[in-house]
Amino acid sequence: MDEKHRCVQLSVNPSRGLMDEKFVILVQNAPPGSELTVHALHQCDDGHGWDAFAHYISDATGRVNVSEDCSLGGTYSGIEPMGLLWSLRPVPGSKPGLRLRKKNVQEPMLVTVSVYEGHRKEGFADLVPLASALVERWYMAPGVRRIPVTEGGLTATLFLPPGLGPFPAVLDLWGGGGQLVEYRAALLASQGLAALAIDYLTAKIIKETGKMTTFKYFETAYRYLEEHPQILGSRIAMLGLSFGTSVTLRMAVYSKVMKLRCAVCISGIHMQPLDKEMKDILRTFNENVANTRITEENHVILRDLSLPITTDPLKKVDVGRLQCPLMLVVGEDDQNTAAQESANDMKEMMERAGNSHLLTVLSYPDTGHLIEPPYTPHVRASNFKPVNLNEILMILWGGQTAAHSRAQEDSWKKILLFLRVNLFGGIRPAAVPLSHL
């Protein structure tokens, strides 16, 4: 490093923020017109390394502003303020099939942002940076409370926003891989909505009894929220991704216990045998996996399992009976479920029934299955083990990184607004960004 590079400064503002909050990366005091590489490195909870990088040229004052300047290449190109987060990928040499998911939401996602001389593409571990900064990205804002829940045989975690409440609540469901996934619920609570993350496919009660949960399990979760002293029992929503969408639609239409104020369904379908319980639905899925398409890269495409869309009314949820607002979030390059075809069919069903005014559809081109909170790195394919299947599959989720990431940012804003309108009447709850504290 020569003398003219020794005074280079790098700042990230805010250096401590929520995962869905934007930051500004600023390089200063570089030689004017110099080639620079800005690099991000993160070690996830599993110990695997993820990185991203972009090439810039400093301006006449020796500055690079990542929020305003154009990346000339790297893991992303163009003007992308948050590209160093959403384009994170496993560091070269990592084992295939990794997916970045936050497991411990009580600790931040730590990202080291560095600037290097020249336009570098590899070997960052062996290079000395001109400057570096450590960034904290949190799913839990200060004051959010994390409460493990075991009542009624539940395996769940309740996240309560700061304050006394009572708060509207969201019952948060993930998909067919099971486990207790908390990071989206924690982020919802950071935005002023109580959220109950629930494990319904690998719950403790399943291991203790050897029996799969039934759809009544969700009514137990709903009653828990309804009766909680810090929850507005008449203002409960349900949010589901993938298989969680199937559950959400079924409960919203047919449950006599659950009176949802609204529902959000991401990357899912309404087709399911209405006379079957979850164990039967899962068994049928596992039996059909052998009939799926496999790409040349040995990636499994599951979307065909639900095509063509059935015309049998006993094999799909009758959304024409739905009485609460519904938002569908669809990736048009979803290779895991026929979400777009399902959304089109639901729209027709609701138009025929006269309740289409309740439906909002967000459909995104070049977007895959895993539509997550903003700036979550996109993975086109990853390892996945469906519940009750003793095999790890390399699933093709779909999506193109830049378009998928834009869809995640846009859909999150619209999901939050949809929930606020229907749970608060449009009044924005108090959510305090970490950077303001």
Side-chain angles (χ1 to χ4, degrees):
M1 188 191 312
D2 59 35
E3 190 64 33
K4 64 183 180 180
H5 288 98
R6 292 185 185 277
C7 296
V8 172
Q9 296 177 342
L10 173 70
S11 63
V12 182
N13 185 34
S15 61
R16 182 173 184 257
L18 289 174
M19 187 63 194
D20 59 357
E21 185 179 359
K22 284 188 175 182
F23 53 48
V24 176
I25 300 173
L26 187 64
V27 180
Q28 295 175 289
N29 296 335
S34 60
E35 295 184 346
L36 298 171
T37 300
V38 184
H39 177 261
L41 178 65
H42 168 65
Q43 187 174 50
C44 69
D45 294 346
D46 292 330
H48 300 292
W50 292 70
D51 79 341
F53 67 95
H55 296 154
Y56 294 93
I57 295 178
S58 61
D59 66 14
T61 67
R63 288 164 46 106
V64 170
N65 186 332
V66 172
S67 295
E68 299 175 355
D69 297 338
C70 184
S71 165
L72 303 177
T75 53
Y76 67 91
S77 299
I79 301 173
E80 298 287 354
M82 301 301 292
L84 285 170
L85 275 192
W86 57 248
S87 72
L88 285 168
R89 73 319 160 51
V91 297
S94 298
K95 68 178 184 180
L98 297 178
R99 177 182 172 192
L100 183 58
R101 308 187 82 185
K102 193 77 178 80
K103 293 189 175 180
N104 183 359
V105 297
Q106 294 178 291
E107 294 182 355
M109 175 184 178
L110 296 176
V111 182
T112 300
V113 180
S114 303
V115 58
Y116 294 90
E117 181 183 5
H119 283 169
R120 310 288 186 173
K121 295 182 179 180
E122 57 188 3
F124 292 100
D126 300 322
L127 298 174
V128 177
L130 300 173
S132 295
L134 184 64
V135 182
E136 295 183 11
R137 310 301 293 172
W138 289 83
Y139 286 93
M140 282 181 67
V144 170
R145 287 155 289 170
R146 177 185 177 276
I147 304 167
V149 177
T150 58
E151 285 89 330
L154 295 173
T155 296
T157 305
L158 176 65
F159 291 90
L160 291 174
L164 298 175
F167 308 99
V170 180
L171 185 57
D172 186 22
L173 277 64
W174 287 83
Q179 308 304 317
L180 184 56
V181 183
E182 298 182 346
Y183 57 91
R184 187 171 59 193
L187 200 54
L188 287 169
S190 299
Q191 293 292 345
L193 294 161
L196 184 69
I198 181 170
D199 179 0
Y200 58 99
L201 293 176
T202 53
K204 185 177 179 181
I205 195 170
I206 299 173
K207 298 171 184 175
E208 291 176 346
T209 65
K211 297 180 180 179
M212 178 55 67
T213 52
T214 68
F215 287 103
K216 289 184 178 180
Y217 185 79
F218 305 99
E219 295 179 338
T220 300
Y222 179 88
R223 285 196 183 98
Y224 169 81
L225 288 174
E226 192 177 36
E227 296 168 1
H228 194 284
Q230 290 180 275
I231 300 295
L232 286 168
S234 62
R235 292 172 178 257
I236 300 174
M238 205 164 175
L239 187 160
L241 170 78
S242 193
F243 188 66
T245 281
S246 300
V247 175
T248 297
L249 290 170
R250 181 152 171 165
M251 304 313 293
V253 172
Y254 298 113
S255 174
K256 296 180 180 179
V257 172
M258 302 173 70
K259 306 299 179 185
L260 300 175
R261 287 293 289 256
C262 63
V264 177
C265 293
I266 305 171
S267 303
I269 58 175
H270 63 314
M271 288 80 74
Q272 58 180 283
L274 300 178
D275 60 341
K276 302 293 185 182
E277 271 291 349
M278 280 199 296
K279 64 176 182 179
D280 305 303
I281 296 172
L282 291 170
R283 184 187 304 118
T284 301
F285 168 81
N286 291 341
E287 290 171 350
N288 289 335
V289 164
N291 301 321
T292 57
R293 277 190 292 152
I294 307 292
T295 70
E296 292 181 359
E297 295 82 11
N298 213 32
H299 296 163
V300 178
I301 298 175
L302 293 175
R303 70 184 313 274
D304 298 346
L305 292 181
S306 49
L307 291 174
I309 303 296
T310 182
T311 57
D312 186 344
L314 297 179
K315 293 184 178 180
K316 58 185 178 182
V317 174
D318 184 4
V319 291
R321 294 173 53 179
L322 195 67
Q323 296 183 31
C324 71
L326 170 66
M327 172 176 277
L328 301 177
V329 183
V330 174
E332 296 176 15
D333 188 37
D334 189 335
Q335 299 299 312
N336 188 65
T337 59
Q340 187 174 25
E341 293 86 347
S342 177
N344 292 339
D345 191 58
M346 282 191 271
K347 182 179 179 181
E348 292 178 6
M349 292 172 70
M350 294 179 72
E351 286 174 348
R352 288 196 299 269
N355 66 343
S356 61
H357 62 284
L358 296 173
L359 179 63
T360 301
V361 180
L362 306 180
S363 187
Y364 296 99
D366 296 323
T367 298
H369 183 72
L370 299 176
I371 302 175
E372 301 210 54
Y375 320 129
T376 302
H378 166 251
V379 289
R380 185 167 172 82
S382 73
N383 294 324
F384 181 73
K385 184 182 180 302
V387 171
N388 293 344
L389 188 67
N390 295 320
E391 182 181 0
I392 296 177
L393 307 175
M394 180 72 84
I395 297 292
L396 182 63
W397 306 112
Q400 301 300 320
T401 300
H404 187 97
S405 300
R406 281 191 280 273
Q408 290 189 151
E409 184 174 0
D410 185 74
S411 63
W412 181 250
K413 293 176 183 176
K414 291 175 179 174
I415 288 169
L416 290 177
L417 179 60
F418 178 81
L419 291 171
R420 286 166 179 154
V421 166
N422 289 288
L423 294 178
F424 284 94
I427 300 174
R428 182 183 176 92
V432 183
L434 286 170
S435 57
H436 293 179
L437 300 177

